[in-house]
Amino acid sequence: MLHVSGARLRTADDRPVRLRGVGLGGWMNMENFITGYPANEASMRAAVRQVLGEERAALFFERLLTSFFTERDAALLAGLGMNCVRIPISYRHFEADDRPFEIIEYGFHHLDRVIGLLGAHGIYSVIDLHALPGSQNQHWHSDNPTHVAAFWQHRHFQDRTVHLWEAIADHYRDNPWVAGYNPVNEPGDPTGKVIGPFYDRLVKAVRAADPRHVLFLDGNTYSTDFSIFREVYENTVFVCHDYALAGFAHGGGYPGYTQGRWCDKDELERTFEQRSRFQRETGTPLWVGEFGPVYTGDPERDGERYQILRDQLEIYDRHEAGWSLWTYKDVGLQGLVCAGGPYLERFGPFIDKKRRLGADRWGSTMEEGAEALAPLHALVETEFPAWDPYPWGARYQTDDLVRHILIAQALLPEYAELFRGLDDTELIALADSFALENCRRREPLLDLLGAALDGAASP
């Protein structure tokens, strides 16, 4: 069982461990840019059920869970030298909104399976609750169909989350291959007043169910603000996220300017030091829960993105920071491996349409359809110059409401219709497109990671 000792994680026999690996995004918490659908997961599933019916939709999604990660995937990650996988999960696998506080035991089936596969290859798991009841942040990755993080407004949602974590902690309390629990991914409490007391309550409840496992706690405002912590809890890692500005879809050259800011390796290090200041001031372990550039398909630009990643990994090594790269598998934006086969043959044109419209927040340059949205942005700037909504301001909020919610939701029926007329064999083949043997490997990225893990001197 790992535990925190000063600024390091250590095993029971006091060997230091630096957790380095990937996030398993898009699996037990699906995301639009990872598997190619529009809008949020619950809305997508509802649209697909309308076309396929309950039983056949369940067949597809269950097969997708099975195919997305198998022993072959665990072996690939172990072969690269990774020792950690951060596993995002949605509360919906463990509890239904119409049956609150009733734990769905089958929710543990696939999670147990993958934690076991990883453990057999010497890889630790960090269980990350990525989508909470009521949505803990304002965006799609918390399965939020709106822009309102209702979790912070209703005690009911908070009670359900505490209850769910008591059940998860009790289930895994004796599992040594679970490194720990990441109970709230990228919280976005607009007031900053609810999250601190909630963490106090949650930590106490989890510790009562499982006093030994490490807690991995994200700061507020998408794991950037650690002023909300009123104490340094024991056996806890405070998790920062460290996406590089130049690595976003709208990023400029590297080194070069993005949105008027110069980005080079020195700037990457200054940013990391600022984002990890709380950890260094409190003498707690450094762990980057998410980071990683997105790729464009342009060899020259992608070469710059690989250099961003190479520089970040070198910085983390120098600071003895652990990390979890986002993300392992998708349809082509960031993954180490990317789905192929019948799924991309059938949904590829639709994914291209999403890209043309900028319907996915992650991967949008915010310039798609600029001629249509420019008058709206100008209107907002002229009529509401003081409007500065949480978390990222007026320009991002306008894009979220129009592009990533309105346009994305309008695309849902079109996505679901692509399932119509498929028989069970064809549905299984779609799901199996995400099996590793059917995936394309992003070889430059795999080579880069393998070299970085092989060459790192720290344990």
Side-chain angles (χ1 to χ4, degrees):
M1 199 78 75
L2 296 184
H3 65 279
V4 172
S5 177
R8 284 188 176 272
L9 286 166
R10 294 183 179 273
T11 60
D13 59 358
D14 211 35
R15 289 181 293 108
V17 174
R18 186 154 63 101
L19 297 178
R20 289 168 292 181
V22 291
L24 188 53
W27 182 56
M28 287 191 75
N29 185 74
M30 296 180 72
E31 297 194 41
N32 48 37
F33 76 93
I34 295 179
T35 51
Y37 67 86
N40 65 301
E41 180 179 358
S43 298
M44 176 273 291
R45 284 176 175 262
V48 172
R49 282 197 301 270
Q50 283 190 324
V51 170
L52 290 179
E54 292 284 347
E55 289 187 6
R56 301 186 69 242
L59 169 70
F60 170 74
F61 289 116
E62 178 69 13
R63 182 71 174 209
L64 183 60
L65 283 171
T66 302
S67 299
F68 200 96
F69 199 91
T70 68
E71 197 278 336
R72 291 187 179 188
D73 297 282
L76 171 63
L77 298 179
L80 289 171
M82 293 182 178
N83 66 355
C84 177
V85 170
R86 179 173 177 254
I87 306 178
I89 61 175
S90 169
Y91 79 94
R92 295 181 187 275
H93 287 282
F94 301 89
E95 186 201 65
D97 286 329
D98 60 351
R99 304 288 291 271
F101 300 103
E102 295 183 19
I103 298 298
I104 301 170
E105 291 298 329
Y106 187 75
F108 290 104
H109 170 70
H110 284 291
L111 190 55
D112 286 348
R113 176 179 66 83
V114 166
I115 289 172
L117 289 174
L118 292 168
H121 284 273
I123 299 175
Y124 291 99
S125 297
V126 174
I127 301 172
D128 150 40
L129 190 57
H130 222 74
L132 278 61
S135 300
Q136 77 280 7
N137 61 44
Q138 290 74 20
H139 291 112
W140 79 97
H141 47 88
S142 60
D143 200 9
N144 193 339
T146 73
H147 65 297
V148 177
F151 177 85
W152 308 106
Q153 301 174 2
H154 299 281
R155 173 72 180 233
H156 168 78
F157 295 135
Q158 298 162 32
D159 291 348
R160 286 167 59 185
T161 297
V162 170
H163 179 257
L164 174 56
W165 269 112
E166 288 173 330
I168 295 173
D170 181 69
H171 187 86
Y172 292 107
R173 60 179 295 150
D174 297 319
N175 191 321
W177 286 110
V178 173
Y181 312 129
N182 189 185
V184 186
N185 175 68
E186 294 193 340
D189 173 10
T191 69
K193 297 178 180 178
V194 181
I195 184 171
F198 174 74
Y199 266 141
D200 288 344
R201 178 186 174 205
L202 181 65
V203 168
K204 184 177 180 180
V206 173
R207 293 280 192 245
D210 176 358
R212 294 190 294 166
H213 273 104
V214 176
L215 287 177
F216 293 79
L217 300 185
D218 286 19
N220 195 30
T221 313
Y222 297 65
S223 209
T224 63
D225 174 15
F226 295 88
S227 66
I228 49 95
F229 290 107
R230 302 183 294 184
E231 64 176 290
V232 177
Y233 310 110
E234 291 185 5
N235 206 29
T236 297
V237 174
F238 296 91
V239 182
C240 72
H241 291 185
D242 191 32
Y243 288 104
L245 181 63
F248 287 119
H250 59 266
Y254 180 82
Y257 286 98
T258 295
Q259 297 181 333
R261 287 179 53 187
W262 178 257
C263 298
D264 60 9
K265 186 175 181 180
D266 289 341
E267 178 61 22
L268 289 180
E269 186 154 21
R270 281 191 294 270
T271 300
F272 170 68
E273 289 176 344
Q274 185 273 325
R275 289 173 174 170
S276 61
R277 180 178 300 138
F278 177 83
Q279 292 85 339
R280 289 181 287 107
E281 289 178 348
T282 55
T284 52
L286 293 173
W287 196 62
V288 182
E290 287 185 21
F291 74 110
V294 301
Y295 302 100
T296 66
D298 176 356
E300 182 177 352
R301 180 55 57 87
D302 286 351
E304 295 175 347
R305 301 298 168 89
Y306 292 132
Q307 189 58 48
I308 290 173
L309 180 58
R310 196 176 290 111
D311 287 348
Q312 285 186 301
L313 292 173
E314 194 278 327
I315 290 166
Y316 300 157
D317 278 345
R318 209 154 9 88
H319 288 266
E320 298 186 348
W323 45 264
S324 175
L325 180 69
W326 194 260
T327 183
Y328 170 52
K329 184 180 288 187
D330 66 5
V331 291
L333 191 67
Q334 280 188 289
L336 279 62
V337 300
C338 308
Y343 189 88
L344 280 196
E345 291 170 9
R346 191 167 188 87
F347 290 92
F350 178 82
I351 294 170
D352 290 340
K353 181 176 181 177
K354 278 202 310 167
R355 186 181 300 114
R356 174 171 58 82
L357 294 171
D360 295 343
R361 176 71 141 78
W362 201 250
S364 169
T365 65
M366 304 201 321
E367 296 299 329
E368 301 89 351
E371 67 286 348
L373 289 179
L376 179 59
H377 285 302
L379 175 69
V380 170
E381 291 171 5
T382 301
E383 299 290 348
F384 318 109
W387 187 46
D388 186 27
Y390 180 92
W392 311 125
R395 172 62 196 266
Y396 282 93
Q397 187 84 324
T398 304
D399 263 319
D400 282 342
L401 291 168
V402 176
R403 195 195 306 275
H404 309 132
I405 296 176
L406 175 60
I407 291 175
Q409 291 181 4
L411 284 166
L412 280 166
E414 185 175 342
Y415 175 80
E417 279 298 316
L418 290 170
F419 287 88
R420 191 174 298 280
L422 299 178
D423 61 28
D424 290 356
T425 301
E426 290 170 314
L427 289 177
I428 290 171
L430 286 182
D432 286 351
S433 299
F434 288 86
L436 182 58
E437 57 268 28
N438 297 319
C439 288
R440 172 179 59 85
R441 303 186 183 209
R442 199 185 296 274
E443 296 294 351
L445 180 55
L446 292 167
D447 291 344
L448 188 161
L449 290 170
L453 288 160
D454 183 59
S458 300

